[in-house]
Amino acid sequence: MEYQSLNIDNYQELMERYQIGSLLAKVVSSFQYDSSELDSFFSPKIYETLKAPCLKDFHMVINDVMKSGKKVFVFGDYDCDGICATAIMVSV
């Protein structure tokens, strides 16, 4: 069996720059990504979801309910994305 040596010289720099653990930094470093690719991986993405008309309406309804102190019934389905979405809605 032959082993291939990987170049992970800059892993400590990646740990500090992106606040990631050493294992992840070593794995990412081994792929030799350039800085723009790394920035796209580790920079937070901001989605402008409230531009959708249906979400604007939903946002207004939820805000009105919260201000009035009323209760909300959250209903979701039982597949993996439905359970996650329902859990997020209940926690919010």
Side-chain angles (χ1 to χ4, degrees), residues 11-23:
Y11 85 93
Q12 290 179 328
E13 176 188 334
L14 295 176
M15 285 176 59
E16 292 173 15
R17 183 174 180 184
Y18 298 109
Q19 300 298 310
I20 58 176
S22 63
L23 178 60

Side-chain angles (χ1 to χ4, degrees), residues 14-92:
L14 295 176
M15 285 176 59
E16 292 173 15
R17 183 174 180 184
Y18 298 109
Q19 300 298 310
I20 58 176
S22 63
L23 178 60
L24 179 58
K26 289 176 183 177
V27 169
V28 169
S29 178
S30 71
F31 285 100
Q32 302 296 312
Y33 292 115
D34 64 21
S35 60
S36 65
E37 289 176 309
L38 290 172
D39 287 341
S40 73
F41 294 152
F42 294 112
S43 298
K45 296 180 179 41
I46 298 172
Y47 299 101
E48 296 185 22
T49 56
L50 290 180
K51 286 188 175 181
C54 62
L55 291 179
K56 286 182 182 177
D57 295 341
F58 175 75
H59 186 257
M60 289 183 350
V61 168
I62 292 296
N63 277 338
D64 291 344
V65 168
M66 288 174 50
K67 288 177 185 174
S68 68
K70 295 179 182 176
K71 292 185 178 186
V72 176
F73 178 77
V74 178
F75 178 80
D77 57 355
Y78 289 99
D79 58 359
C80 61
D81 64 326
I83 291 171
C84 292
T86 305
I88 290 169
M89 284 300 300
V90 168
S91 69
V92 169

